């Protein structure tokens, strides 16, 4: 069970299946090669960003649409690894399966802020 | 392969506190001894808390994290998708651009005409050096400076005082005043540039004209920049080591071998003071004319030996012919390079730009000392970059280096 609470919004419950347990941390890097040399300059730009991607399960079409409305907001994400919650941006939601029992499975992505 | 990893620093503050401006995404600062007033534009996601005329300090680096710009907020530029605000700041010399003289002194012309402030109104004496005059003008325009940084020749200007009037935009002639009762006053920088155009000297292979500009630390300098670079090298940039990209042009398109300078005209029918200098170079023999002409009523004599009309004061047409000869009687080298280096580069420095270690000529066609004419410092998604604009030139042979004083840092 997971809960996403948009800033100044109500808690929204869903099931976050971290399978595969994708957690990507990426640093913006600029690599410049110096023409005619065997050297490179690597500039580290800004801070690294951690992205959490996983499967989300929504118990009904209405719940899915509620979450679609929360895409693009910042908020607090709580799940088993982070029971106290972490500040995130809800970046994307892509539904890819619906069961006969009105269970909706979707790919979700959050960026830690 | 050698990989140099650097962590960038970009920060900005404003006010006396100072107050930090958060989340600066990118910045670019520009300087030049022909650009005069430095400029910096930095981007933030939302409008920073600073406002017009706040003093902003920008620090940039990739290890050598130093102040790269000091100036005043002038513009806010808003953009959408993605939302961002670009804050444009100008160096404090911008106050000289914005200050228009509206004052009329006590030394107005007796027969009417354009009036304003004479040198006597500015410094208290009829004759003064360009350094004294420029300092007085900067003070009126509320531009901070250090007196020792405002340099000049020792020439005393002002014997023909009406040629040096800082125009107030009003006219004492009643007929002219009816036609143009309230014209614009001459700005402080326009008045200073009139001196920069003529305040020059040549002695042997040393000389040039003085330029007024700003350093990366925000200091205003008036400094001698000659036609050819100095012998002393401040920094060396080498292809394949620290030059990322570049473009250099060698040209004789603007090379000249004949110089005509005219000065003040008394209006008695003999024309203005005048001097012509014939020189030569390997492409333009002395039997040909490739003319560069210049004129200013602030030039008060024709030859260096002349004492007419008011003694040996003021600039001469002959001296400026020699100054222009140094600047234009040569192969002219211009261009730019970009580098990742975060050294404290600055305008009016002399850099050795070379193809390989030892001064060899490389793909860019240079292996020689060049003046830094302009400087752009940027931090963005590409990293930390400095773009250096250069000017130089080497012929006639033997005039390749001038022992001028150290440049401002």
């Amino acid at each position: 069970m997971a809960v996403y609470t948009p800033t100044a919004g109500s808690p929204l419950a869903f099931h976050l299946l971290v399978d595969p347990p994708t957690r990507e941390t990426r640093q913006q890097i600029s690599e410049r090669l110096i023409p005619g040399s065997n050297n490179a300059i690597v500039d580290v730009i800004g801070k690294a960003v951690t992205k959490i991607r996983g499967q989300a399960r929504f118990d009904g079409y209405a719940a899915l649409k509620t979450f679609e409305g929360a895409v693009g907001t910042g908020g607090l994400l709580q799940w088993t690894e982070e029971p106290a919650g972490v500040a995130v941006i809800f970046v994307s939601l892509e539904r890819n399966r619906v069961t006969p029992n009105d269970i909706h499975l979707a790919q979700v992505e959050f960026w830690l802020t | 392969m050698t990989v140099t990893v650097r962590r960038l620093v970009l920060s900005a503050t404003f006010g006396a506190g100072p107050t930090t401006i958060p989340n600066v995404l990118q910045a670019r600062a520009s300087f030049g001894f022909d650009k005069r007033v430095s400029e910096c534009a930095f981007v933030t996601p939302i409008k920073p808390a600073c406002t017009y005329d706040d003093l902003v300090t920008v620090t940039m680096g990739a290890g050598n994290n130093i102040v790269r710009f000091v100036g005043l907020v002038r513009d806010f530029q808003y953009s959408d998708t993605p939302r961002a605000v670009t804050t444009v700041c100008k160096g404090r010399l911008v106050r000289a651009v914005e200050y228009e003289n509206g004052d009329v002194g006590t030394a107005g012309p007796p027969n009417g005409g354009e009036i304003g402030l004479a040198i006597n109104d500015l410094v208290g004496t009829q004759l003064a050096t360009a350094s004294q005059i420029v300092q007085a003008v900067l003070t009126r325009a509320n531009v901070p400076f250090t007196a020792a940084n405002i340099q000049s020749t020792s020439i005393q200007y002002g014997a023909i005082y009406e040629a040096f009037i800082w125009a107030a935009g009003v006219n004492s002639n009643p007929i002219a005043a009816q036609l143009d009762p309230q014209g614009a006053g001459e700005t402080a920088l326009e008045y200073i540039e009139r001196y920069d155009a003529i305040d020059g000297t040549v002695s042997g292979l040393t000389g040039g004209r003085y330029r007024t500009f700003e350093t990366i630390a925000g200091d205003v300098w008036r400094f001698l920049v000659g036609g050819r670079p100095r012998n002393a090298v401040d920094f060396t940039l080498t292809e394949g080591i620290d030059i990322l990209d570049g473009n250099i042009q060698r040209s004789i398109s603007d090379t000249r071998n004949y110089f005509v300078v005219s000065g003040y005209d008394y209006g008695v029918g003999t024309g203005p003071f005048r001097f012509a200098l014939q020189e030569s170079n390997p492409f333009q023999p002395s039997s040909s004319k490739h003319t560069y002409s210049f004129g200013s009523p602030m030039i008060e004599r024709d030859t260096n030996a002349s004492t007419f009309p008011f003694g040996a004061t003021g600039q001469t047409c002959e001296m400026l012919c020699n100054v222009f000869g140094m600047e234009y009687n040569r192969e002219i080298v211009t261009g730019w390079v970009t580098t990742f280096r975060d050294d404290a580069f600055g305008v009016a420095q002399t850099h050795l730009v070379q193809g390989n270690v030892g001064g060899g000529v490389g793909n860019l066609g240079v292996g020689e000392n060049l003046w830094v004419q302009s400087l752009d410092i940027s931090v963005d998604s590409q990293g930390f970059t400095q773009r250096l604009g250069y000017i130089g030139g080497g012929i006639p042979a033997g005039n390749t280096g001038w022992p001028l004083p150290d440049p401002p840092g």
Side-chain angles (χ1 to χ4, degrees), chain B residues 57-77:
Chain B
T57 300
V58 178
T59 300
M60 291 186 266
N64 183 27
N65 308 323
I66 58 175
V67 170
R68 307 274 179 173
F69 176 81
V70 178
L72 305 165
V73 175
R74 280 296 176 267
D75 310 311
F76 295 103
Q77 300 169 351

Side-chain angles (χ1 to χ4, degrees), chain B residues 4-312:
Chain B
T4 303
V5 180
R6 316 184 301 178
R7 186 166 288 279
L8 302 189
V9 167
L10 170 57
S11 63
T13 61
F14 72 93
T19 303
T20 298
I21 298 172
N23 302 323
V24 181
L25 299 173
Q26 64 184 63
R28 182 184 185 92
S30 303
F31 306 84
F33 61 58
D34 291 329
K35 182 184 175 70
R36 311 288 194 185
V37 181
S38 60
E39 182 175 325
C40 181
F42 62 86
V43 179
T44 49
I46 60 174
K47 181 187 172 299
C50 57
T51 189
Y52 298 123
D53 216 40
D54 278 347
L55 187 66
V56 169
T57 300
V58 178
T59 300
M60 291 186 266
N64 183 27
N65 308 323
I66 58 175
V67 170
R68 307 274 179 173
F69 176 81
V70 178
L72 305 165
V73 175
R74 280 296 176 267
D75 310 311
F76 295 103
Q77 300 169 351
Y78 295 81
S79 59
D80 199 359
T81 56
R83 180 184 179 188
V85 177
T86 301
T87 302
V88 179
C89 307
K90 302 283 180 69
R92 284 173 287 193
L93 191 56
V94 74
R95 288 175 177 160
V97 176
E98 297 165 345
Y99 183 89
E100 287 184 35
N101 180 38
D103 296 331
V104 176
T106 57
N111 300 319
E114 192 169 50
I115 56 175
L117 295 173
I119 291 175
N120 193 44
D121 299 313
L122 291 169
V123 302
T125 56
Q126 183 181 352
L127 302 181
T129 64
S131 171
Q132 294 170 309
I133 297 164
V134 170
Q135 288 183 49
V137 172
L138 291 174
T139 300
R140 278 186 173 258
N142 193 27
V143 177
F145 63 89
T146 300
N149 296 348
I150 309 301
Q151 303 172 5
S152 75
T153 64
S154 58
I155 294 172
Q156 297 280 320
Y157 295 99
I160 306 173
Y161 77 92
E162 62 264 34
F164 298 86
I165 295 291
W166 184 6
V170 295
N171 202 304
S172 63
N173 183 314
I175 298 175
Q178 277 186 324
L179 297 173
D180 185 12
Q182 46 186 2
E186 185 177 18
T187 70
L189 191 61
E190 286 172 342
Y191 188 59
I192 290 170
E193 286 177 337
R194 284 164 58 189
Y195 289 91
D196 289 0
I198 65 162
D199 191 36
T201 185
V202 171
S203 176
L205 297 180
T206 302
R209 287 184 291 172
Y210 284 82
R211 318 281 180 117
T212 304
F213 57 88
E214 295 181 299
T215 66
I216 59 173
D219 298 323
V220 175
W221 275 76
R222 191 170 187 273
F223 187 72
L224 182 62
V225 181
R228 297 186 181 83
R230 297 176 301 120
N231 281 325
V233 172
D234 299 297
F235 293 98
T236 299
L237 286 93
T238 308
E239 292 177 35
I241 294 180
D242 43 24
I243 293 177
L244 293 169
D245 193 9
N247 187 299
I248 298 288
Q249 171 176 288
R250 310 188 74 92
S251 172
I252 58 168
S253 294
D254 293 324
T255 299
R256 298 289 182 267
N257 72 342
Y258 189 68
F259 303 93
V260 179
V261 173
S262 57
Y264 186 79
D265 186 349
Y266 270 103
V268 294
T270 57
F273 293 126
R274 192 175 174 87
F275 192 86
L277 175 67
Q278 177 73 64
E279 293 189 336
S280 67
N281 59 64
F283 313 101
Q284 299 168 341
S286 58
S287 58
S288 67
K289 275 186 181 178
H290 301 270
T291 305
Y292 180 86
S293 298
F294 177 82
S296 168
M298 293 163 66
I299 303 169
E300 299 175 273
R301 291 182 292 150
D302 47 12
T303 66
N304 295 339
S306 171
T307 56
F308 176 79
F310 297 113

Side-chain angles (χ1 to χ4, degrees), chain A residues 30 32 37 40 42-45, chain B residues 2 4 6 240 381-382 384-385:
Chain A
S30 167
R32 287 179 290 184
S37 80
V42 172
D43 281 351
V44 179
I45 302 165
Chain B
T2 302
T4 303
R6 316 184 301 178
S381 59
Q382 297 296 307
F384 179 96
T385 309

